Amino acid sequence: MKPWDKRDDMVVHEGEPFNAEAPAAALAAGVVTEVDGFYCRNHGTVPEEGPEEWRLVVDGLVRQELRLSLDALRGGFARCEVVATLQCAGNHRAGLMDVRDIPGEIRWGSGAISTARWTGVRLADVLERAGIEDGAAHIAFEAPDVAKDALPPQPYGASVPVAKARSGEVLLAWAMNGRPLPPVHGAPLRVVVPGWIGARSVKWVRRVTARAEPSTNYFQATAYRLPSGSGSMPLEAVAVNCGILRAGRGEAVGYAYAGDGRGVARVEVSADGGHTWTRAELDAPPGPWAWQHWRAAVPTTAGTELVARAWDCDGTPQPQCAAALWNPKGYANNAWARMRL
């Protein structure tokens, strides 16, 4: 096994901080990704803090500040389980780097995505216990892992609007796939924000703060944003996208995902570079916040370029060309998926 009890075939981009994408075999094996094959995205060293010492502070624009142990969370709130796909904002960055280099960024392929069954309590229930004041518009999360790539170096943080935080699918999770969270995935507690980029699902969360404005943390205010006019906008919901996981014996297999509960309506696959298309068989998702697997009968001879494209349930298609999506950080590439056999 590689570091952190991961599979030997994980695609490791960095050892410290540990950043690795899931191998295609792990993603294709089932709709729920095994923990040892789940992708990892970290900006700092994995914290070493046991559940005995750990406490969650809920503060800011609340009527009652809370300080909760893991036992208090388990015993004081209704338990909830959500099957949700998490995807790094840099998934498919390699396609953008093929257009133009992006120095200093990880060359993620199509494996910075995975799906798990998360267990914990609803963030909404904890916020209700604290009592959000009228002036609160955002909920910020703070973790202890210090990110050296932040300017200046600082602990990781992020925020989501109150409306998303109060949605029933957003969890404070202590387990994935029925097992306690491993340290590399956020033990003892992490945030899970289904449908949004993985950067908002803060690991090792130790503080939840109700604020009038978004978090000023580097990873909310500067990173994980797209250029927009003279400024930038934060990345939030994941756009419809797909990936090709394997091809052979006349069949292609892959995944498709549309964030914020939109679901995928259609996937098509081409074996001639996009001139003709075959509609793929699309599996039902295990829940509204999870990806779907697909398969299509297409020629798979050596030298063939397979292309796949998807539409979400709102009728929004994937864009064809990665060049039009290029940005200086290499985020949010949801252009057609391609695989040369």
Side-chain angles (χ1 to χ4, degrees), residues 3 6 60 66 75 85 113 128 134 137 172 174 196 198 225 237 275 280 283 300 308 313 341:
K6 290 295 180 179
L66 305 178
T85 298
I113 183 173
E128 183 178 2
D134 291 341
L172 297 172
W174 57 71
W196 284 34
R225 303 177 72 90
H275 295 288
D283 291 347
T300 54
C313 291
L341 303 184

Side-chain angles (χ1 to χ4, degrees), residues 57-67 126-136 138-139 162 166 208-212:
V57 175
V58 183
D59 62 5
L61 297 175
V62 296
R63 289 187 288 275
Q64 178 184 355
E65 184 173 315
L66 305 178
R67 184 176 174 84
V126 175
L127 294 174
E128 183 178 2
R129 177 78 57 85
I132 298 178
E133 295 182 351
D134 291 341
H138 300 266
I139 303 299
V162 163
R166 281 175 157 168
V208 174
T209 303
R211 299 169 48 96

Side-chain angles (χ1 to χ4, degrees), residues 77-122:
F77 300 88
R79 176 182 169 127
C80 183
E81 188 173 272
V82 174
V83 178
T85 298
L86 295 187
Q87 178 179 280
C88 177
N91 197 33
H92 304 294
R93 181 181 283 139
L96 299 182
M97 296 177 85
D98 288 341
V99 174
R100 191 191 317 170
D101 192 24
I102 305 173
E105 296 297 332
I106 295 173
R107 188 181 173 86
W108 293 105
S110 59
I113 183 173
S114 301
T115 300
R117 181 173 291 103
W118 306 97
T119 304
V121 298
R122 295 180 180 88

Side-chain angles (χ1 to χ4, degrees), residues 92 110 241-245 253-256 294 308 318 337:
H92 304 294
S110 59
N241 69 97
C242 69
I244 304 170
L245 295 175
V253 174
Y255 66 80
W294 56 261
Q318 288 184 249

Side-chain angles (χ1 to χ4, degrees), residues 63-293:
R63 289 187 288 275
Q64 178 184 355
E65 184 173 315
L66 305 178
R67 184 176 174 84
L68 302 167
S69 67
L70 195 59
D71 286 342
L73 280 168
R74 289 174 178 271
F77 300 88
R79 176 182 169 127
C80 183
E81 188 173 272
V82 174
V83 178
T85 298
L86 295 187
Q87 178 179 280
C88 177
N91 197 33
H92 304 294
R93 181 181 283 139
L96 299 182
M97 296 177 85
D98 288 341
V99 174
R100 191 191 317 170
D101 192 24
I102 305 173
E105 296 297 332
I106 295 173
R107 188 181 173 86
W108 293 105
S110 59
I113 183 173
S114 301
T115 300
R117 181 173 291 103
W118 306 97
T119 304
V121 298
R122 295 180 180 88
L123 176 60
D125 292 346
V126 175
L127 294 174
E128 183 178 2
R129 177 78 57 85
I132 298 178
E133 295 182 351
D134 291 341
H138 300 266
I139 303 299
F141 311 116
E142 179 185 303
D145 55 318
V146 176
K148 294 181 180 179
D149 55 342
L151 299 173
Q154 59 195 266
Y156 190 90
S159 64
V160 298
V162 163
K164 181 65 175 177
R166 281 175 157 168
S167 298
E169 74 275 3
V170 179
L171 298 186
L172 297 172
W174 57 71
M176 61 188 298
N177 296 351
R179 296 162 49 190
L181 280 175
V184 77
H185 288 296
L189 193 79
R190 70 172 296 164
V191 185
V192 176
V193 184
W196 284 34
I197 63 167
R200 309 309 179 207
S201 291
V202 176
K203 294 185 283 190
W204 314 292
V205 62
R206 63 181 181 185
R207 187 177 297 272
V208 174
T209 303
R211 299 169 48 96
E213 303 293 336
S215 170
T216 58
N217 186 276
Y218 173 84
F219 294 99
Q220 183 74 38
T222 302
Y224 293 111
R225 303 177 72 90
L226 285 177
S228 177
S230 59
S232 64
M233 62 180 183
L235 287 162
E236 295 180 345
V238 175
V240 61
N241 69 97
C242 69
I244 304 170
L245 295 175
R246 67 169 186 261
R249 299 181 180 179
E251 182 183 63
V253 174
Y255 66 80
Y257 177 56
D260 229 14
R262 294 190 308 278
V264 176
R266 183 185 182 104
V267 174
E268 293 181 343
V269 183
S270 172
D272 56 13
H275 295 288
T276 60
W277 296 88
T278 297
R279 185 162 183 173
E281 178 185 347
L282 188 63
D283 291 347
W289 306 103
W291 64 4
Q292 295 161 254
H293 280 176

Side-chain angles (χ1 to χ4, degrees), residues 278-337:
T278 297
R279 185 162 183 173
E281 178 185 347
L282 188 63
D283 291 347
W289 306 103
W291 64 4
Q292 295 161 254
H293 280 176
W294 56 261
R295 64 198 55 80
V298 291
T300 54
T301 56
T304 298
E305 183 188 40
L306 294 181
V307 183
R309 62 185 183 185
W311 286 258
D312 69 21
C313 291
D314 290 337
T316 303
Q318 288 184 249
Q320 177 178 354
C321 182
L325 301 172
W326 191 94
N327 59 87
K329 297 291 284 184
Y331 295 142
N333 177 20
N334 71 324
W336 292 357

